[in-house]
Amino acid sequence: MSQTSERIREPSVLDRVDDRIKVLCVVAFVAAVALLPDGAWTRFGALAGLLLLAYLLGRVPLLWALKRLPLLLPVFLLVGLSAWISSRGESGMGTDRFLSVLVGASMSLLALALMAYNPGPDNMLRALQFYFRGSFLVTLLTMTHRYIVVIVAEARRMLRARDSRGQPPRVLDRARVAGSMVGYLFVRSLQRAERVGHAMEARGFTGVYPRGRVRPLRWTQLAAGLTFCAAMAAVVVIP
Amino acid sequence: MHMPDRVLTPEVWATLDVASVGLVGGAVYKTRQRLEPRDAPLMAVMAAFIFAAQMVNFPVALGVSGHLIGATLAAVLLGIGPAVLIMTAVLVIQALVFQDGGLMALGANVFNLALVAPVVGYLVYGTVLRHARGPASPQVAAFLGAWLSVVATAAVAGIQLVLSGYAAIAIIPGILLWHLAIGIGEGLITVAALQLVWKAKPEMAPISGEAEPPRIGRTTSVVGLLAVASVLALALSPLASPSPDGLERVAHDAGLAEEFEHEPILPGALPDYTTPGVEGEAASTAIAGVIGVLLVLIPLAAVVWLITWGKGQEEETAQDAA
Amino acid sequence: MPVLEVESLEYKYPTGVSALGGVSLAIEPGERVALLGPNGAGKSTLILHLNGILLCQQGEVRVDGDRVEKRNLAEVRRKVGLVFPNPDDQLFMATVAEDVAFGPRNMGLDEDEVDRRVGRALEAVGLPGFEERMPYHLSTGEKKRASIATVLVMEPDVMVLDEPAAGLDPRGRKGLIELLKGLPCALLVATHDLAMAREVCSRVLILDGGKLAADGPVDDVLADTELLLEHGLA
Ligand SMILES: Nc1ncnc2c1ncn2[C@@H]1O[C@H](COP(=O)(O)OP(=O)(O)OP(=O)(O)O)[C@@H](O)[C@H]1O
Ligand SMILES: [Mg+2]
């Protein structure tokens, strides 16, 4: 799950950028991709080049990221169907729109995958804690991410135990078995939640993560980040 | 299904981003007023639970497998405010860590799956529970809540897609039909899960346990259900829209137009899905849609009431006899 | 004056199970006490009262002579540290360092002091250099040590450990015993491991059915086979 977070590797160019700035840049990049007009292929190309450059500079395994793309398939089917029907009707979306969705959605996904690799989920969440200081939602996200590992492992063990015993023949029964497993997982999670709550309270927790040392953002880093954001805005605005 | 980036147009996703920030912010504020420190880990572990529960799949047929979304389950077990926050946390983690769903589209996904889904599920569950008092009514209420929550979510997503310029005829029937089926799976899993939880933790069960059933006022029920009905109607209305769009054009090209003309979608009372005597095609289509949905919902409600009420009677008679 | 006193403590769970039926005990500064008892005796329930996770229904708990109440919870939790049986419940932050720093930060210490304490605590439990590791990728033994560090770092007067040896292999267990022997504070250790109790503690309490069945020097109590048999400990 967090196979990427504890990687041991030579520091790359990307590692010299402050995590908080990387997060900012990815958000600006994704926003730019989402805002480009349909069929602005030069600009799509420029952004794609930028993304590829980041992958190369960060020595991020592109193949690993490309493996996430099939997530988009169902939506592409839907969009493709719609484009096909529209092309036979009078109004609606054309080929440009269809291709722009294909390209844009993929680029956005790859940018998010890059962020999940470097700086990685934990540092990303820490950056969010910096931007949204004292936010309850960010505390919730951080803890959720931590416990997903534990509870998913529990769910996997249950699924393995179920699958090793085969499935009931009727779909209805299979749904019921899945439901019981979910219910059981809930009860176990509730007990765990109680114990975690105790452990946190025992150490003086009062509802929001205490703030640790906040490294100030170096102004060079901040300037670079803001320049990047401005460039993204320019790409969108200037045709 | 989570929307990736760029599928929706900027007007649509930006509006939904703003709406979701406001609504989730409100939910955070409301929920935190009533919570203690130990409820933060509770919600985090529950969000992790929902995430894991979505992995518990079951084979349906032909390599297709069903799984839970969990919004109604969360709302029934933990209340509506926590359910909204939990589903939001799940969606943000899915987008940021697993690239499931886009970032600009996060507002849309939160709106559909963390707001519409739990609210509809909770509303239907609470309303049915309030009116049906038989022994099986919590199960029936939860099934309907889970099922309708999935259908309503699909309808809302469909509307967003149509607003983004997709051909309604290509989007809506597919999405709705598919989710009418998916919703059944959601309902079955939700009920089975609840049954186990209520057995293991009787104090969480409504009616028999201490857990107070959701307190949803009559006005909220009526207004809420009407809103759900209107959304479903709105999603369906483009289907019957009189302007020749995609599918009909295809049909025309293929020489099937004649047959289409004589085959209104809702035969009888609402010819071609418009209401006689109402000016303006859009308005009349929408009203026809609402009436159509009510025509479906009212018998459904009656059946539910009969089932649950009947069972209650049986039980009482059985007890009398004993 | 005892650092920790419990007087006629009774507790009933909402389900109606009466877990504690009038327990009284006192622990002096620096004392090492083992808490023995069969499964379901009420050990964990008693422990949850010691720093106010559960508040007394009947009787009272005093820390440094002060009754534990809602108003003084922060202070109580600084003085009495709890180590829970399952490290996965106890370690909830992204890195070991952040997890260990969680308590001191809640205490409002400044960051330099937090850093110093985190370093010292990790050193003390034998995990120097583990700062940036992720808790969920540690071995069971390392997780156990990290859990102890998260409490040790708050420099409590009493540390209460619930089943610290569960899941450890013989070497891990031996290491844990050495670690516990070296801790500077008073200890209350709930365990099923009599040999460990003998090595670490000087006094033994036996809890059964929510009531204290024995309280005495470790050699006397553990030599009384009849008593141990009676409470399912031998
Ligand atoms: N959360 C709870 N709700 C209801 N009953 C509980 C709860 N926790 C414990 N009990 C009950 O209280 C009694 C004491 O349990 P406790 O966990 O304190 O025992 P223990 O001595 O720690 O046992 P073990 O050695 O198995 O850990 C048991 O009968 C148990 O079933
Ligand atoms: Mg115990």
Side-chain angles (χ1 to χ4, degrees):
Chain A
M1 175 146 312
S2 297
Q3 75 278 49
T4 56
S5 326
E6 224 171 4
R7 61 206 177 266
I8 301 155
R9 50 180 172 75
E10 298 256 293
S12 67
V13 179
L14 273 197
D15 291 317
R16 268 188 254 143
V17 184
D18 191 299
D19 293 338
R20 292 163 288 186
I21 297 300
K22 275 183 275 197
V23 169
L24 187 68
C25 290
V26 168
V27 173
F29 180 88
V30 170
V33 170
L35 286 168
L36 281 188
D38 291 334
W41 297 122
T42 336
R43 287 183 272 167
F44 270 115
L47 290 184
L50 204 59
L51 186 60
L52 188 63
L53 190 69
Y55 266 81
L56 294 177
L57 285 179
R59 290 198 293 276
V60 183
L62 190 58
L63 209 64
W64 164 80
L66 291 176
K67 280 198 197 125
R68 315 284 306 148
L69 283 180
L71 267 180
L72 300 174
L73 271 184
V75 177
F76 286 173
L77 278 179
L78 204 67
V79 176
L81 182 68
S82 173
W84 178 69
I85 286 176
S86 300
S87 70
R88 303 183 145 237
E90 279 127 52
S91 62
M93 67 191 291
T95 326
D96 263 3
R97 174 72 192 283
F98 173 62
L99 291 176
S100 302
V101 170
L102 243 61
V103 170
S106 307
M107 280 167 61
S108 167
L109 184 144
L110 291 175
L112 291 175
L114 173 70
M115 181 163 69
Y117 184 87
N118 183 349
D122 294 317
N123 292 325
M124 188 175 11
L125 288 165
R126 239 170 258 144
L128 290 185
Q129 277 169 16
F130 173 80
Y131 288 122
F132 303 96
R133 243 154 276 190
S135 151
F136 177 75
L137 210 55
V138 177
T139 296
L140 186 60
L141 284 180
T142 313
M143 286 168 57
T144 301
H145 181 244
R146 165 70 179 88
Y147 278 100
I148 277 177
V149 181
V150 177
I151 294 184
V152 162
E154 204 156 299
R156 287 232 170 89
R157 284 195 295 273
M158 280 168 64
L159 281 173
R160 211 177 305 138
R162 176 195 68 176
D163 293 342
S164 69
R165 283 182 291 166
Q167 291 279 356
R170 289 201 314 158
V171 177
L172 200 70
D173 291 330
R174 286 181 223 153
R176 202 169 295 141
V177 170
S180 299
M181 288 174 64
V182 168
Y184 189 57
L185 197 62
F186 173 84
V187 174
R188 304 239 308 224
S189 303
L190 202 64
Q191 286 162 348
R192 180 182 295 280
E194 189 171 64
R195 297 194 306 265
V196 172
H198 288 165
M200 297 187 77
E201 267 188 272
R203 287 194 270 154
F205 183 65
T206 52
V208 170
Y209 274 165
R211 271 181 68 192
R213 187 193 307 280
V214 181
R215 262 180 309 123
L217 257 179
R218 291 227 314 276
W219 70 268
T220 40
Q221 296 265 354
L222 188 62
L226 292 179
T227 312
F228 184 87
C229 291
M232 289 298 112
V235 169
V236 172
V237 176
I238 303 163
Chain B
M1 183 180 68
H2 298 0
M3 294 232 202
D5 277 324
R6 228 196 132 86
V7 169
L8 299 179
T9 48
E11 305 80 46
V12 177
W13 61 251
T15 312
L16 290 168
D17 282 348
V18 172
S20 292
V21 166
L23 291 169
V24 172
V28 171
Y29 179 76
K30 276 264 173 202
T31 312
R32 286 206 72 192
Q33 278 182 324
R34 294 188 294 108
L35 291 189
E36 296 186 36
R38 70 176 66 169
D39 291 315
L42 172 69
M43 281 198 268
V45 174
M46 285 300 131
F49 154 73
I50 293 288
F51 184 96
Q54 293 184 351
M55 293 175 28
V56 177
N57 58 348
F58 66 101
V60 178
L62 306 169
V64 176
S65 64
H67 73 85
L68 185 76
I69 296 168
T72 307
L73 184 64
V76 168
L77 287 173
L78 303 163
I80 185 65
V84 168
L85 300 192
I86 285 168
M87 294 304 290
T88 303
V90 171
L91 288 166
V92 176
I93 294 283
Q94 281 171 336
L96 290 182
V97 181
F98 301 96
Q99 300 91 48
D100 198 359
L103 188 57
M104 296 301 125
L106 192 53
N109 288 323
V110 165
F111 187 85
N112 300 346
L113 291 161
L115 288 159
V116 171
V119 166
V120 170
Y122 195 68
L123 179 79
V124 172
Y125 172 74
T127 308
V128 174
L129 204 56
R130 197 161 63 97
H131 292 284
R133 280 272 161 207
S137 50
Q139 280 83 344
V140 175
F143 179 87
L144 287 177
W147 183 62
L148 270 177
S149 87
V150 169
V151 176
T153 302
V156 174
I159 292 173
Q160 289 158 6
L161 287 168
V162 171
L163 285 178
S164 295
Y166 296 86
I169 200 77
I171 300 289
I172 303 280
I175 290 192
L176 276 188
L177 276 180
W178 178 237
H179 285 85
L180 281 172
I182 296 241
I184 293 175
E186 179 84 7
L188 289 175
I189 300 192
T190 303
V191 168
L194 284 173
Q195 253 168 332
L196 193 138
V197 173
W198 286 338
K199 207 160 156 200
K201 301 211 137 245
E203 72 272 16
M204 294 189 86
I207 300 183
S208 62
E210 295 151 30
E212 41 186 289
R215 249 181 289 154
I216 297 175
R218 196 173 295 270
T219 334
T220 322
S221 280
V222 172
V223 173
L225 289 181
L226 277 180
V228 174
S230 329
V231 167
L232 291 180
L234 196 64
L236 288 168
S237 53
L239 277 184
S241 131
S243 72
D245 78 0
L247 191 58
E248 290 180 34
R249 175 63 182 271
V250 175
H252 200 270
D253 289 352
L256 293 169
E258 255 74 26
E259 279 172 51
F260 253 79
E261 229 100 285
H262 299 292
E263 203 94 35
I265 292 175
L266 269 187
L270 303 170
D272 224 356
Y273 229 51
T274 53
T275 328
V278 178
E279 296 295 322
E281 262 162 10
S284 105
T285 309
I287 292 172
V290 172
I291 294 175
V293 170
L294 285 182
L295 282 183
V296 178
L297 280 185
I298 291 169
L300 192 68
V303 169
V304 169
W305 186 74
L306 278 178
I307 293 175
T308 50
W309 182 76
K311 280 200 182 171
Q313 290 289 301
E314 272 167 35
E315 189 123 306
E316 269 167 37
T317 342
Q319 273 168 2
D320 286 349
Chain C
M1 188 178 58
V3 277
L4 190 61
E5 284 170 282
V6 177
E7 201 178 299
S8 333
L9 176 60
E10 291 178 25
Y11 189 81
K12 202 182 225 165
Y13 278 103
T15 50
V17 178
S18 171
L20 296 174
V23 175
S24 300
L25 60 94
I27 293 173
E28 298 295 329
E31 209 181 3
R32 269 98 211 289
V33 183
L35 179 60
L36 307 181
N39 290 133
K43 302 183 296 292
S44 300
T45 309
L46 171 63
I47 284 175
L48 288 177
H49 282 86
L50 299 181
N51 78 356
I53 302 291
L54 294 179
L55 291 171
C56 305
Q57 291 169 343
Q58 288 287 324
E60 64 181 44
V61 175
R62 286 187 297 270
V63 174
D64 270 347
D66 243 0
R67 206 188 129 99
V68 175
E69 284 166 350
K70 257 212 151 91
R71 58 165 180 88
N72 59 4
L73 282 184
E75 199 188 332
V76 165
R77 287 172 182 170
R78 195 169 51 70
K79 288 179 178 164
V80 180
L82 300 193
V83 179
F84 290 83
N86 183 350
D88 265 328
D89 301 335
Q90 176 118 21
L91 303 170
F92 37 73
M93 302 289 282
T95 66
V96 172
E98 272 182 88
D99 223 313
V100 178
F102 182 83
R105 281 181 184 150
N106 280 329
M107 285 158 61
L109 298 178
D110 74 72
E111 280 301 309
D112 291 329
E113 175 65 11
V114 171
D115 282 351
R116 241 187 329 255
R117 284 196 183 199
V118 169
R120 240 185 295 150
L122 286 176
E123 191 85 40
V125 299
L127 294 178
F130 274 61
E131 279 86 350
E132 292 311 311
R133 295 281 293 274
M134 258 174 289
Y136 42 89
H137 287 167
L138 301 179
S139 75
T140 311
E142 288 163 346
K143 279 185 191 170
K144 262 286 124 70
R145 288 164 179 274
S147 303
I148 294 176
T150 63
V151 174
L152 188 61
V153 73
M154 296 172 78
E155 302 183 354
D157 299 332
V158 191
M159 193 189 287
V160 182
L161 301 102
D162 198 353
E163 302 192 26
L168 291 182
D169 65 9
R171 181 152 40 121
R173 176 176 162 279
K174 212 174 260 163
L176 178 76
I177 289 174
E178 290 310 312
L179 168 58
L180 293 182
K181 278 161 115 176
L183 290 180
C185 46
L187 288 182
L188 179 65
V189 186
T191 182
H192 297 294
D193 182 340
L194 300 192
M196 180 168 108
R198 186 175 283 127
E199 276 202 64
V200 177
C201 303
S202 56
R203 185 176 145 207
V204 172
L205 307 169
I206 294 181
L207 191 69
D208 197 355
K211 290 200 167 69
L212 222 47
D215 179 353
V218 66
D219 296 325
D220 295 359
V221 175
L222 294 188
D224 190 343
T225 325
E226 207 165 305
L227 179 75
L228 295 182
L229 276 173
E230 191 185 333
H231 299 290
L233 297 169

